[in-house]
């Protein structure tokens, strides 16, 4: 258990943005396909990345970390099962399924089950792998997949799931023949995975579109690769500046990936400047309500920024409406924000935020990664100090949060736990 103490203040200054967690994790899984060394740059120091390193080492890979670089050599892979504690630590470990199966002919793990965002089905992941020729048994919360060989297939996804697209892509690279993934996710992290796969010799086309084509069975080789910047971490820091009447300049950002958030923040009254790989934001004293925020698959508004933006809008004039269409249970932060004086009514997929004149410091609990980030933002804009318990959720996605906020002129201090 870890706790952080937050003193309110204006978020003002400059910082660089970490590499994207949600790119690094699938690329680490894809590194299992490669017989040779993969040198991966831009890997943030995060609990989830550490969990992925544990998984690779458990499977028999050699993994070395030097600053933000991970050197992965999967030549010596000797296991095909992910231990239960690693599955529990990071439910998105399921993105290793296709890669382990493709490389070893079998894979065993526990079902990810429900999590803090609601039920976490993986039916599309399993359907994609079955279409590629895998036999998958599900029994007592366990998954056992095996395939003597994989063959190219048509994979239509009923929803553009990020994880299912990643699993299908990685496994298809090892299959004989052509695979077409339809209604594929178009998140920037998918395009990043495609670029990595091409860098190791796989033939994949169609990134940034809904149809991905893979010519499988190509021999792969080692490479050096740098993952893209984390658009969600960048968006969170923009929301923190917006919430506190601050002014920030972020370096090493992919500006195009933040278009919908910047649209909403501009409507709320912020001035935003974009130049190559840099983004600046200057916030007014008081934000106004933007139009309705509806979370959608990319290029729509990202579900991962719903909570941070909500936290930025708690003191607006008037009210803001959110519609969360991606995850069923992603408003758990609302009850914690209410402890600081926020007025939020949640009804099904909708949440209505009625602006309040001021927030007060409180003792709150992080419910999940992005919900935890929302609590940090609200605490920075409150009238007194706050303590956030179970801050380990936040550490899963934000590298050196105390250091980043120190560079941005505010105090986020660790006061207990690990
Ligand atoms: N879904 C199914 N069946 C499946 C797969 C998904 O019904 O087989 C549903 C999910 O329950 C959810 C929706 O489809 O309602 C979208 O899920 P998706 O598979 O796209 O999400 P994911 O791959 O599990 C990734 C990110 C999440 C991010 C979502 C949406 C990683 C490691 N995780 O999750 O990031 O919210 O895409 O963009 O890439 C975070 O970073 O905090 C985080 C939760």
């Amino acid at each position: 258990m870890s706790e952080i103490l937050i003193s309110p203040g204006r978020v003002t200054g400059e910082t660089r943005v970490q590499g994207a967690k949600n790119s690094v994790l699938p690329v680490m899984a894809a590194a299992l396909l490669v017989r040779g060394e993969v040198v991966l740059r831009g890997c943030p120091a995060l609990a989830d990345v550490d969990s992925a390193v544990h998984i690779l080492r458990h499977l028999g890979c050699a993994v070395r970390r030097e600053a933000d670089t991970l050197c992965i050599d999967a030549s010596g892979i000797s296991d095909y099962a992910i231990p239960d504690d690693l599955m529990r630590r990071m439910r998105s470990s399921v993105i290793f399924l296709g890669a382990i199966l493709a490389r070893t002919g079998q894979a065993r793990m526990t079902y990810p089950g429900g999590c803090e965002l609601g039920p976490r089905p993986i039916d599309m992941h399993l359907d994609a792998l079955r279409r590629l020729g895998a036999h998958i048994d599900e029994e007592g919360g366990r998954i056992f997949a095996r395939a003597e060989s994989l063959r190219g297939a048509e994979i239509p996804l009923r929803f553009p799931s990020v994880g299912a697209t990643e699993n299908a892509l990685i496994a298809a690279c090892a299959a004989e023949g052509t695979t077409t993934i339809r209604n594929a996710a178009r998140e920037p992290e998918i395009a990043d995975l495609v670029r990595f796969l091409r860098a190791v010799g796989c033939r994949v086309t169609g990134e940034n579109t809904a149809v991905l084509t893979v010519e499988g069975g190509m021999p792969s080789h080692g490479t050096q690769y740098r993952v893209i910047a984390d658009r969600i971490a960048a968006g969170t820091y923009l929301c923190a500046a917006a919430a506190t009447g601050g002014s920030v300049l972020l370096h090493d950002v992919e500006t195009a990936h933040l278009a919908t958030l910047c649209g909403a923040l501009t409507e709320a009254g912020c001035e935003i400047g974009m130049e190559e790989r840099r983004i600046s934001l200057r916030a007014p004293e008081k934000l106004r309500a933007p139009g309705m925020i509806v979370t959608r698959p990319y290029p729509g508004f990202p579900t991962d920024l719903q909570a941070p933006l909500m936290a930025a809008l708690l003191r607006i004039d008037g009210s803001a409406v959110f519609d969360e269409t991606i995850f069923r249970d992603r408003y758990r932060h609302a009850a914690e924000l209410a402890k600081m004086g926020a007025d939020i009514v949640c009804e099904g997929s909708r949440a209505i935020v009625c602006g309040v004149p001021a927030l007060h410091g409180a003792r709150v609990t992080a419910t999940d990664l992005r919900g935890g980030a929302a609590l940090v933002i609200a605490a920075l804009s409150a009238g007194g100090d706050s303590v956030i318990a179970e801050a380990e959720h936040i550490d899963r996605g934000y590298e050196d949060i105390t250091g980043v906020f120190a560079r941005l002129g505010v105090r986020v201090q660790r006061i207990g736990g690990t």
Side-chain angles (χ1 to χ4, degrees), residues 95-147:
I95 46 173
F96 282 84
L97 182 62
I100 300 174
L101 175 71
R103 183 64 200 281
T104 69
Q106 50 192 335
R108 196 187 281 276
M109 58 182 61
T110 42
Y111 202 81
C115 75
E116 62 271 8
L117 308 182
R120 205 94 190 225
I122 54 165
D123 52 308
M124 285 185 272
H125 300 240
L126 302 186
D127 178 64
L129 297 176
R130 284 187 174 116
R131 282 172 188 268
L132 291 167
H135 298 276
I136 303 176
D137 294 322
E138 299 168 77
E139 218 186 275
R142 291 182 178 277
I143 302 165
F144 179 44
R146 62 196 188 288

Side-chain angles (χ1 to χ4, degrees), residues 18 39 92-93 142 151 158-159 167 192 198 220 222 226-227 302 305-306 319 365:
Q18 69 189 55
V39 178
S92 53
S93 305
R142 291 182 178 277
R151 53 176 190 281
R158 73 177 148 75
F159 178 86
N167 251 325
D192 209 20
R198 277 205 293 261
S220 58
R226 176 173 287 278
V227 296
L305 286 173
Q306 173 255 108
S319 54
T365 302

Side-chain angles (χ1 to χ4, degrees), residues 54-111:
H54 276 107
I55 290 174
L56 289 176
R57 287 197 178 129
H58 174 87
L59 296 172
C61 305
V63 188
R64 224 171 55 243
R65 182 161 197 140
E66 286 160 18
D68 77 342
T69 300
L70 282 175
C71 303
I72 303 168
D73 188 340
S75 312
I77 187 166
S78 54
D79 202 339
Y80 58 87
I82 300 186
D84 295 359
D85 65 310
L86 289 174
M87 281 305 287
R88 270 196 301 275
R89 220 185 287 174
M90 185 174 70
R91 288 173 200 273
S92 53
S93 305
V94 72
I95 46 173
F96 282 84
L97 182 62
I100 300 174
L101 175 71
R103 183 64 200 281
T104 69
Q106 50 192 335
R108 196 187 281 276
M109 58 182 61
T110 42
Y111 202 81

Side-chain angles (χ1 to χ4, degrees), residues 21-22 120-124 161-163 304 326-327 370:
K21 164 181 86 79
N22 291 347
R120 205 94 190 225
I122 54 165
D123 52 308
M124 285 185 272
S161 153
V162 173
D304 292 340
I326 307 292
F327 286 105
R370 308 303 171 188

Side-chain angles (χ1 to χ4, degrees), residues 342-379:
D343 180 354
I344 306 167
V345 177
C346 300
E347 280 172 10
S349 71
R350 294 278 170 100
I352 299 159
V353 177
C354 293
V356 291
L359 299 169
H360 50 79
R363 189 183 165 81
V364 290
T365 302
T367 52
D368 62 275
L369 165 55
R370 308 303 171 188
L375 299 181
V376 173
I377 293 169

Side-chain angles (χ1 to χ4, degrees), residues 145-192:
R146 62 196 188 288
E148 258 155 45
S149 61
L150 296 171
R151 53 176 190 281
E154 276 282 318
I155 303 179
L157 297 177
R158 73 177 148 75
F159 178 86
S161 153
V162 173
T165 303
E166 290 164 348
N167 251 325
L169 251 179
I170 296 170
C173 286
E176 284 301 325
T178 307
T179 296
T180 310
I181 306 170
R182 298 191 192 278
N183 198 22
R186 289 183 285 160
E187 269 65 7
E189 294 76 19
I190 300 286
D192 209 20

